[in-house]
Amino acid sequence: MNAAVRSAVRIGICQGHTIYVVSDGFEGLAKGQIREVGWHDVAGWLGRGGSMLGTKRTLPKTCMEKIVENVRKFNIQGLLVIGGFEAYEGVLQLVEARGQYEELCIVMCVIPATISNNVPGTDFSLGSDTAVNAAMESCDRIKQSASGTKRRVFIVETMGGYCGYLSTVTGIAVGADAAYVYEDPFTIHDLKANVEHLTDKMKTDIQRGLVLRNEKCHEHYTTEFLYNLYSSEGKGIFDCRINVLGHLQQGGAPTPFDRNYGTKLGVKAVLWMSEKLQQVYSKGRVFANSGDTACVIGLRKKVVAFSPVTELKKVTDFEHRLPQEQWWLNLRLMLKMLANYQISLTEYISGQMEHVTRRTLSIEKGF
């Protein structure tokens, strides 16, 4: 996040803009926690984790009048929001309030930044690569701790809300035996099959097992439940341990990918906003009320693209804070195949083709 702020500030200054930064998100914007910054104010931000400006999950609808008042007071003509699902949802609320408040007819852009990777309009959010690296390192150490001990299975809980990206990608990276996520529903029969699979493995020379569970993958099959199930069924064959990674996944310095990715998104976002400001500037003022003046910038396949928030609304599950289509779900069959489940390569390829077909249908529908 800090890399994106740094590049956005400096490119904005190069473009001739007056740059303000807001502390504590939309709540800070409502409270007037706004200050002008210069080139050297963001020096040293590139390699810092977390957010130097602070974050809050407050949505604009709770303080819309004060936000509008400060937009007018500071003569804000463009708003760049860096954050997670709340940032996307907050900008959507501002756009929907344009008919009521003329001050909100400004250019807006969202840079997705969340370890959950659950913002529509991008395949990768800022911070998700760093979080996967942190989770991977923790799981590697957990597995290594079992070296030379009796047969043991580790139940590891990851963060991510309802989004199972962290569990799935980390599971592939560390060779997990299973990864439970909300997007891929599972039943007690699936759990039974997983336990039997691990039991059979432990009867060979393999002495370690690793099971990942996304924090909100199931209302009733909790981490404690999985621990009790595996402990009971594996009694006499293997024992079980729980590890909740928690906020370990949020700490640490950003990876090179996240630093460069954040820098690139900051630059491209400000250049896009500058272009839009020129297009909507007329008669001495900025008036942006079309859908394409409020977008999410993100990496879609290999291209950095801008997606209007009003269009992304159609493909968003707001209850669970998820995009309706997620590319990484294709990887789950591969995870099972590499864990030595009875899944053929043909079944994996057919699963991939099914996703391509669904994606083609979605494009044809205009999504």
Side-chain angles (χ1 to χ4, degrees):
M1 296 178 79
N2 298 319
V5 173
R6 170 182 172 272
S7 64
V9 166
R10 291 187 169 180
I11 290 298
I13 292 171
C14 289
Q15 291 282 302
H17 301 300
T18 300
I19 306 295
Y20 295 96
V21 293
V22 181
S23 300
D24 297 336
F26 291 113
E27 184 177 315
L29 183 57
K31 292 180 177 179
Q33 296 172 205
I34 305 167
R35 70 181 191 277
E36 185 177 348
V37 290
W39 185 278
H40 297 291
D41 292 319
V42 291
W45 285 29
L46 185 61
R48 294 199 177 189
S51 172
M52 299 293 290
L53 296 178
T55 58
K56 286 286 179 70
R57 295 196 173 191
T58 306
L59 290 172
K61 64 181 180 181
T62 62
C63 49
M64 190 68 76
E65 296 282 351
K66 293 181 179 179
I67 287 176
V68 171
E69 181 183 333
N70 282 318
V71 168
R72 186 192 311 116
K73 176 182 176 182
F74 287 89
N75 191 28
I76 294 172
Q77 298 171 328
L79 187 63
L80 176 61
V81 185
I82 305 171
F85 195 88
E86 285 78 11
Y88 154 69
E89 190 175 3
V91 168
L92 182 59
Q93 290 178 6
L94 294 179
V95 170
E96 291 175 340
R98 279 174 169 176
Q100 188 177 355
Y101 302 102
E102 196 173 291
E103 291 85 352
L104 298 179
C105 292
I106 59 178
V107 177
M108 291 180 259
C109 185
V110 179
I111 296 180
T114 168
I115 69 167
S116 301
N117 199 30
N118 63 336
V119 180
T122 185
D123 292 342
F124 293 99
S125 296
L126 282 179
S128 58
D129 183 67
T130 301
V132 168
N133 273 266
M136 179 192 68
E137 289 176 7
S138 297
C139 288
D140 283 343
R141 291 178 182 179
I142 288 168
K143 287 177 68 176
Q144 190 177 23
S145 71
S147 300
T149 64
K150 60 182 179 180
R151 292 177 173 86
R152 181 165 290 169
V153 172
F154 295 93
I155 311 292
V156 179
E157 180 184 302
T158 65
M159 297 179 73
Y162 285 100
C163 183
Y165 172 80
L166 271 178
S167 289
T168 299
V169 178
T170 302
I172 294 171
V174 299
D177 295 282
Y180 301 115
V181 300
Y182 169 79
E183 296 91 340
D184 190 4
F186 58 96
T187 65
I188 191 66
H189 300 292
D190 298 311
L191 296 178
K192 179 175 178 290
N194 293 149
V195 171
E196 289 174 350
H197 174 73
L198 268 173
T199 302
D200 291 339
K201 281 181 66 174
M202 291 297 178
K203 291 177 181 177
T204 65
D205 293 335
I206 299 172
Q207 296 189 348
R208 294 172 296 184
L210 182 65
V211 175
L212 299 181
R213 178 189 178 274
N214 189 59
E215 59 182 348
K216 291 187 178 180
C217 66
H218 201 285
E219 181 182 0
H220 303 295
Y221 298 149
T222 63
T223 304
E224 189 71 28
F225 176 90
L226 293 181
Y227 166 74
N228 291 331
L229 175 67
Y230 276 81
S231 295
S232 177
E233 295 299 317
K235 196 170 185 179
I237 302 173
F238 61 82
D239 64 354
C240 208
R241 294 289 186 274
I242 286 182
N243 292 89
V244 179
L245 298 184
H247 289 79
L248 283 172
Q249 296 154 95
Q250 291 185 326
T255 60
F257 174 84
D258 270 334
R259 297 185 193 198
N260 294 334
Y261 184 39
T263 300
K264 181 188 292 186
L265 292 187
V267 170
K268 286 187 174 289
V270 172
L271 292 178
W272 175 84
M273 292 178 72
S274 297
E275 184 181 339
K276 285 294 179 184
L277 284 168
Q278 290 178 356
Q279 293 174 6
V280 299
Y281 184 80
S282 178
K283 297 179 182 179
R285 57 166 293 187
V286 168
F287 186 77
N289 64 345
S290 60
D292 64 349
T293 57
C295 291
V296 172
I297 180 177
L299 189 65
R300 309 194 76 165
K301 293 193 175 180
K302 295 183 179 180
V303 180
V304 175
F306 292 86
S307 308
V309 293
T310 49
E311 292 183 15
L312 292 175
K313 182 181 179 180
K314 304 171 188 174
V315 292
T316 304
D317 177 359
F318 285 95
E319 180 184 355
H320 299 103
R321 302 170 63 221
L322 291 171
Q324 292 176 5
E325 287 282 338
Q326 300 191 84
W327 64 271
W328 53 265
L329 285 171
N330 293 334
L331 303 175
R332 293 191 55 76
L333 276 173
M334 182 175 67
L335 186 151
K336 292 179 180 178
M337 187 169 65
L338 295 175
N340 203 25
Y341 284 85
Q342 298 304 310
I343 295 176
S344 66
L345 186 60
T346 304
E347 186 178 351
Y348 171 68
I349 293 172
S350 65
Q352 294 277 54
M353 292 305 296
E354 182 184 348
H355 173 78
V356 170
T357 304
R358 288 201 308 270
R359 189 173 182 84
T360 303
L361 287 173
S362 296
I363 292 171
E364 288 175 355
K365 289 178 182 178
F367 294 163

